[in-house]
Amino acid sequence: MSLILIQALNGLQTGLVIFLAASGLTLVFGILGVINLSHGSFYMIGAYLALSLTGMFGDVFLALVAGIPLAFLLGLAIEWLFIRHLYDRDHLQQVLLTFALILIFNEFQQVVWGSYPHSIPAPSYLAHSVRLTEGLSYPVYRLALMAICVALAISMALIIQKTRIGRLIRAAESNREMVEALGFDSRLIFRMVFATGVALAATAGMLAAPIESAYPGIGDRVLIISFVVVVIGGIGSVRGAFIGSLLIGLTDAFGKVFLPQFSSIIIYALMALVLVIRPAGLFGRA
Amino acid sequence: MIDRRRLLSLGASAGAALACGPFIRPSYAQAGALKVGLLLPYSGTYAPLGEAITRGLELYVQSQGGKLAGRSISFVKVDDESAPPKATELTTKLIQSEKADVLVGTVHSGVAMAMVKIAREDGIPTIVPNAGADIITRAMCAPNVFRTSFANGQIGRATGDAMIKAGLKKAVTVTWKYAAGEEMVSGFKKSFIAGKGEVVKDITIAFPDVEFQSALAEIASLKPDCVYAFFSGGGALKFIKDYAAANLGIPLWGPGFLTDGVEAAAGPAGDGIKTVLHYVVDLDNAENLAFVKSFEAAYKIPPDVFAVQGWDAGQLLDAGLKAVGGDVSKRKELNAAMAKASFASPRGPFKLSAAHNPVQNFYLRELKGGKSVNLGLAAPAVADEAIGCKLS
């Protein structure tokens, strides 16, 4: 029983962090039509930003306050330098350029932070564990992380569903020409969406840093899982990304306990199953 | 007094010598620089390891006045990128286009295996300064292939012995599901079970996954006396922190690579972890004291086990070269001398087994305040079993 409780918590926590990363990917993919392979690099940048900024401010949450705007600015710059030239290009060219970005960010990370793993402390007021069952404690930071992710998910849903900006984003997704015709600058919207995607991935990296620590290649796994989430949830659907992330987190957590020999493929099996039943993903438009 | 005649004859012979330059070069090339081909990771996750090995080796050569057996040494460094698919091409390049006299490499076992395969065919004297794959000094052993590091199973066995000695009886193992992890665990189980210990469960995690909570929950429900774990790099750091956060109250043991390189980052979460390895920086022997001093003077950081393995690659090569007076064309004698070499290493006495793997002491270490502290000898002069090696 306690094992099931722990695994449910693990699954939810993994899923929620994946959601933050994957929601950015699905927005960029769905609205800009850009396949961004370097999305995992922004997660990595987030983890290392957390390392440097926590060193300066002493608390990972304060690091977040400085780190999110920095990541947003980085997103704006990357969009302006590279991504905006790709909107009307072939997917292959997008893949090539964003793959090149991965190499550049990896090199940058090596030069600036080196290749030894670094640990980022959780804030002292959260750096303890609560006893859940006899013999096993659960880190409080992970519980706080879950709460923050849920809060972010709710505010994202509200922004997209209820605000003028959200309506504009949804409109740009379904009909770019119409948005232009109504006098809105779709390029500006695109730039903001891309930067938001970068900021979301980096936020996920920063929040996860005290649990994951920072090491080279930390973003690779996140990139792959995010793509799986986008495929399961349906391209461009933030709600789909949310459901998909939780599904993956839980499947992975329970798969490891009940079907350990299949643990490395179980999420891909889930993806195949979803694709057979709903080829456009759970919330995708065929 | 130099007369005109003598000046003329001197000038003429000097001119003749210059003109003949291109033809006589081969004859003194033998006395010139010896080319050591270094195939090591200089980029990627393993770059610090490749760097440490290189530093250790270069430091040894410097300590001998830049010469081994009277020959100056030149290094050709090739970044193997820890990529097995590139290993064959890079090794061939070092041997054929760079004309390396000896090979030293590498860290990644997959790359080392490809490299050793070529070295066996070519016959070029080759020293492996890290890669721990058992097979290199077991089924793949060769007269010209030497290792100055360890075999994975050897560390596992030494750790099992130390755990039995500490009175532990019931263990759970946890590692990544990949070759190094499996070899470290199977070596451990051999000696732990032989010492009347019981392994209740082997938990494996897909490589390079770092989500350890389910493993920790399982360990909590199994309630063993101790956990034997092997991870490395970022994964090891995360495991150590997650393990501490889970508050299991079960002692954590492992091969030294569980904590090496991440001691400082682990901080208080690492306190009390016991590991077994063939080196610890505070070893109290004359060779190590001198080594640590000169390493710190040269590079401003304390040495690690990888630097020692590089240093000993230098010592081993030196022993071989001395026996043949620096003439690497005498490969057979050179190999024979390296096989028989025994010297004082910073890790303690060093000699090779019949399979060319070090027979060495293993030390029990405990992590305290971000540093591995030596608790004493865990197992003296441990050799690998060398199953399948036909050298003797």
Side-chain angles (χ1 to χ4, degrees):
Chain A
M1 191 56 222
S2 70
L3 189 62
I4 292 178
L5 171 69
I6 298 274
Q7 287 311 90
L9 280 175
N10 288 335
L12 284 175
Q13 183 251 306
T14 321
L16 286 165
V17 174
I18 294 173
F19 165 71
L20 277 194
S23 59
L25 187 72
T26 201
L27 276 179
V28 170
F29 203 174
I31 297 171
L32 278 54
V34 172
I35 298 183
N36 180 19
L37 286 190
S38 60
H39 199 68
S41 302
F42 299 123
Y43 181 91
M44 175 189 79
I45 296 274
Y48 278 99
L49 271 180
L51 170 66
S52 295
L53 295 173
T54 308
M56 288 161 72
F57 299 121
D59 185 316
V60 75
F61 293 132
L62 292 177
L64 220 54
V65 175
I68 295 176
L70 275 178
F72 193 83
L73 285 178
L74 174 71
L76 290 178
I78 297 286
E79 199 274 350
W80 183 75
L81 276 169
F82 304 107
I83 307 294
R84 67 186 171 124
H85 308 293
L86 292 175
Y87 293 141
D88 302 317
R89 301 280 187 100
D90 195 41
H91 279 332
L92 180 62
Q93 296 186 3
Q94 300 173 352
V95 164
L96 281 176
L97 189 129
T98 53
F99 183 72
L101 286 179
I102 295 184
L103 301 180
I104 292 170
F105 282 123
N106 281 350
E107 201 59 39
F108 175 76
Q109 175 267 314
Q110 290 275 334
V111 171
V112 177
W113 289 287
S115 46
Y116 274 118
H118 295 277
S119 144
I120 292 102
S124 53
Y125 44 92
L126 293 178
H128 54 277
S129 302
V130 281
R131 186 140 282 238
L132 286 184
T133 63
E134 190 234 334
L136 197 74
S137 310
Y138 204 74
V140 176
Y141 184 79
R142 286 180 187 250
L143 297 173
L145 175 61
M146 283 155 73
I148 295 169
C149 288
V150 169
L152 283 174
I154 292 174
S155 36
M156 255 168 85
L158 287 178
I159 289 171
I160 291 175
Q161 296 301 326
K162 305 280 184 206
T163 64
R164 190 178 146 86
I165 298 169
R167 279 196 293 276
L168 261 177
I169 291 175
R170 279 181 291 147
E173 179 189 357
S174 42
N175 194 331
R176 184 172 153 193
E177 286 76 20
M178 182 58 77
V179 171
E180 292 262 315
L182 289 173
F184 295 102
D185 184 356
S186 72
R187 291 208 155 256
L188 183 68
I189 299 174
F190 277 23
R191 188 160 302 162
M192 292 302 167
V193 168
F194 186 82
T196 306
V198 170
L200 281 169
T203 307
M206 281 188 266
L207 283 171
I211 299 177
E212 285 239 26
S213 66
Y215 54 91
I218 188 175
D220 301 353
R221 185 184 54 97
V222 175
L223 172 72
I224 295 165
I225 294 203
S226 296
F227 268 105
V228 173
V229 165
V230 170
V231 169
I232 288 182
I235 291 166
S237 167
V238 173
R239 192 174 359 156
F242 188 73
I243 304 292
S245 303
L246 293 190
L247 256 182
I248 287 208
L250 290 170
T251 313
D252 188 49
F254 284 106
K256 275 179 182 152
V257 175
F258 297 115
L259 293 166
Q261 58 274 52
F262 298 115
S263 65
S264 51
I265 56 159
I266 201 155
I267 58 167
Y268 305 103
L270 175 70
M271 176 171 79
L273 185 72
V274 169
L275 284 181
V276 168
I277 299 167
R278 292 185 66 100
L282 293 175
F283 292 88
R285 281 174 295 256
Chain B
M1 261 322 261
I2 295 179
D3 62 23
R4 199 169 49 170
R5 230 176 126 125
R6 193 159 154 72
L7 190 71
L8 269 176
S9 67
L10 265 178
S13 49
L18 275 178
C20 291
F23 303 103
I24 58 173
R25 193 165 289 155
S27 66
Y28 62 70
Q30 196 57 61
L34 182 102
K35 227 176 195 183
V36 177
L38 298 181
L39 187 68
L40 286 166
Y42 293 109
S43 67
T45 308
Y46 287 146
L49 281 58
E51 190 65 26
I53 291 166
T54 309
R55 285 173 163 183
L57 176 56
E58 286 182 336
L59 192 63
Y60 180 76
V61 174
Q62 279 164 30
S63 77
Q64 304 299 306
K67 286 186 174 177
L68 300 185
R71 295 191 60 179
S72 57
I73 302 291
S74 77
F75 293 106
V76 192
K77 297 177 191 173
V78 171
D79 178 9
D80 71 16
E81 299 169 45
S82 300
K86 293 186 184 168
T88 303
E89 187 201 326
L90 294 176
T91 310
T92 316
K93 189 179 139 198
L94 272 174
I95 296 176
Q96 287 179 357
S97 23
E98 296 291 349
K99 306 245 179 291
D101 295 306
V102 291
L103 282 186
V104 176
T106 185
V107 170
H108 187 288
S109 282
V111 180
M113 270 145 71
M115 185 185 110
V116 164
K117 216 172 264 174
I118 298 174
R120 282 163 60 103
E121 282 164 27
D122 184 89
I124 183 169
T126 298
I127 299 173
V128 179
N130 187 67
D134 287 345
I135 193 171
I136 291 176
T137 52
R138 290 191 184 177
M140 281 176 83
C141 73
N144 62 318
V145 176
F146 304 87
R147 176 145 64 185
T148 57
S149 51
F150 57 89
N152 291 330
Q154 189 186 13
I155 296 189
R157 276 188 27 228
T159 315
D161 281 338
M163 289 167 74
I164 288 290
K165 227 186 264 174
L168 300 163
K169 286 285 168 217
K170 192 176 148 195
V172 167
T173 73
V174 52
T175 186
W176 276 317
K177 197 172 178 55
Y178 73 152
E182 281 161 10
E183 289 178 354
M184 297 258 188
V185 165
S186 82
F188 158 72
K189 284 171 80 172
K190 216 167 258 179
S191 63
F192 192 71
I193 292 169
K196 305 269 181 292
E198 182 198 0
V199 176
V200 282
K201 172 125 198 187
D202 295 311
I203 302 173
T204 56
I205 291 164
F207 179 80
D209 254 20
V210 290
E211 191 45 66
F212 302 118
Q213 289 296 322
S214 55
L216 294 174
E218 212 172 345
I219 291 168
S221 68
L222 291 167
K223 300 195 180 63
D225 293 347
C226 58
V227 171
Y228 172 87
F230 168 64
F231 297 98
S232 69
L237 175 56
K238 182 164 187 289
F239 182 80
I240 290 170
K241 291 178 71 184
D242 287 2
Y243 195 92
N247 255 334
L248 296 169
I250 300 169
L252 178 60
W253 287 67
F257 297 113
L258 176 67
T259 55
D260 276 37
V262 298
E263 304 97 328
D271 281 345
I273 298 177
K274 293 207 172 113
T275 58
V276 170
L277 197 69
H278 49 285
Y279 183 68
V280 53
V281 77
D282 63 357
L283 270 185
D284 192 15
N285 64 51
E287 182 76 13
N288 188 48
L289 294 177
F291 171 70
V292 172
K293 204 171 154 198
S294 68
F295 194 94
E296 282 179 339
Y299 305 114
K300 315 280 173 260
I301 53 164
D304 54 17
V305 64
F306 307 106
V308 173
Q309 291 166 180
W311 170 271
D312 286 340
Q315 294 215 70
L316 185 62
L317 181 61
D318 195 13
L321 286 173
K322 274 188 184 127
V324 294
D327 182 0
V328 279
S329 65
K330 294 182 184 151
R331 281 184 173 176
K332 215 171 157 195
E333 293 87 338
L334 177 74
N335 289 336
M338 287 208 279
K340 282 199 304 261
S342 82
F343 46 77
S345 159
R347 70 183 95 174
F350 181 105
K351 63 173 183 166
L352 291 173
S353 68
H356 298 175
N357 191 66
V359 178
Q360 54 193 337
N361 292 341
F362 281 87
Y363 303 95
L364 178 60
R365 308 130 22 110
E366 183 176 351
L367 208 55
K368 277 183 199 158
K371 273 203 176 111
S372 271
V373 183
N374 182 15
L375 297 186
L377 207 54
V382 179
D384 187 48
E385 307 130 300
I387 303 155
C389 175
K390 292 191 182 64
L391 292 175
S392 60

